[in-house]
Amino acid sequence: QKEVEQDPGPLSVPEGAIVSLNCTYSNSAFQYFMWYRQYSRKGPELLMYTYSSGNKEDGRFTAQVDKSSKYISLFIRDSQPSDSATYLCAMSPYNNNDMRFGAGTRLTVKP
Amino acid sequence: EADIYQTPRYLVIGTGKKITLECSQTMGHDKMYWYQQDPGMELHLIHYSYGVNSTEKGDLSSESTVSRIRTEHFPLTLESARPSHTSQYLCASSERGTVEKLFFGSGTQLSVL
């Protein structure tokens, strides 16, 4: 069983929709939770990060962590075609050397 | 502009050739990493470095080697390329003490025929 599970999609939504992306994990030692966005033929870029449980909001993006359920989410409000990308969840106990990534969910936002 | 650069972007090469993938960063970061990414699969760490003259293997077994002679430069070398090495290789860096933020290059797509 993988330490981090992420539905690969693909996910296709109309412009303006609310998008929900999710990951589950098995390692209770994870403390840092990240979401990276990766455009085609580019490297991932950090979108959001959260330490431990709770919510974090940045513009149209909200990251949620539920450590009791070992479940993290990324919500995108008022989705735009420019949000079309692959979204990778990542998590780490305390050290980047032990960071684990999900396989990514490919999102397409149609105008 | 502070950034992380990888060259070449694409490389098609024959079996048995020696190759070096270049990675340079201008952010002054101590830590650097090499990840391998295959389509639909998670990123796997193959090498990392805490600083000059420091190199460690990651959790994915790899036949590649790395060196860190200068802070800004972290090249990856394959002595004898094989078709099984076909993959995307991503270089990343981070500041010492920050767990959450990795800065990635655009990657090198390697194809070994």
Side-chain angles (χ1 to χ4, degrees):
Chain A
Q1 184 186 2
K2 294 181 181 179
E3 280 189 279
V4 180
E5 297 279 359
Q6 183 174 10
D7 186 340
L11 184 61
S12 181
V13 301
E15 184 175 354
I18 297 174
V19 176
S20 172
L21 305 168
N22 312 292
C23 288
T24 59
Y25 63 94
S26 58
N27 188 346
S28 57
F30 289 142
Q31 297 287 339
Y32 296 87
F33 302 90
M34 283 72 71
W35 287 94
Y36 284 83
R37 178 175 61 195
Q38 185 173 21
Y39 290 114
S40 180
R41 288 184 282 279
K42 293 286 189 181
E45 58 177 333
L46 182 67
L47 197 58
M48 300 280 287
Y49 80 90
T50 311
Y51 173 69
S52 195
S53 283
N55 294 358
K56 188 170 185 177
E57 188 173 322
D58 184 1
R60 296 184 295 110
F61 299 90
T62 300
Q64 287 186 351
V65 175
D66 181 349
K67 291 187 71 179
S68 63
S69 302
K70 295 189 177 67
Y71 188 86
I72 70 170
S73 301
L74 177 71
F75 297 95
I76 306 174
R77 291 184 299 280
D78 187 24
S79 56
Q80 303 294 309
S82 58
D83 295 327
S84 298
T86 296
Y87 290 81
L88 309 169
C89 63
M91 45 201 79
S92 174
Y94 57 86
N95 191 317
N96 282 341
N97 309 336
D98 294 318
M99 188 175 291
R100 296 290 182 262
F101 286 83
T105 299
R106 195 167 75 184
L107 171 68
T108 300
V109 181
K110 296 185 175 180
Chain B
E1 181 182 333
D3 209 338
I4 181 163
Y5 304 94
Q6 288 187 246
T7 57
R9 288 294 311 277
Y10 303 94
L11 180 62
V12 180
I13 202 162
T15 297
K17 300 292 186 184
K18 178 179 178 179
I19 60 169
T20 297
L21 307 184
E22 301 287 349
C23 177
S24 294
Q25 51 98 2
T26 58
M27 294 174 282
H29 288 167
D30 287 325
K31 295 186 76 173
M32 296 188 73
Y33 315 79
W34 277 102
Y35 283 89
Q36 192 169 331
Q37 184 181 35
D38 293 311
M41 303 291 288
E42 58 268 38
L43 274 70
H44 286 291
L45 181 66
I46 50 175
H47 296 283
Y48 62 96
S49 166
Y50 287 110
V52 172
N53 294 326
S54 155
T55 61
E56 303 287 344
K57 287 187 179 294
D59 53 19
L60 181 68
S61 175
S62 174
E63 294 162 349
S64 57
T65 59
V66 292
S67 63
R68 190 88 182 274
I69 299 173
R70 304 197 313 265
T71 299
E72 62 272 20
H73 196 213
F74 191 41
L76 181 146
T77 298
L78 276 166
E79 290 293 331
S80 180
R82 294 207 300 270
S84 61
H85 296 138
T86 294
S87 187
Q88 165 138 279
Y89 293 84
L90 289 164
C91 181
S93 69
S94 68
E95 292 180 351
R96 185 183 292 274
T98 61
V99 173
E100 66 275 12
K101 187 171 285 189
L102 291 175
F103 291 87
F104 284 89
S106 292
T108 294
Q109 180 61 51
L110 173 66
S111 296
V112 183
L113 306 178

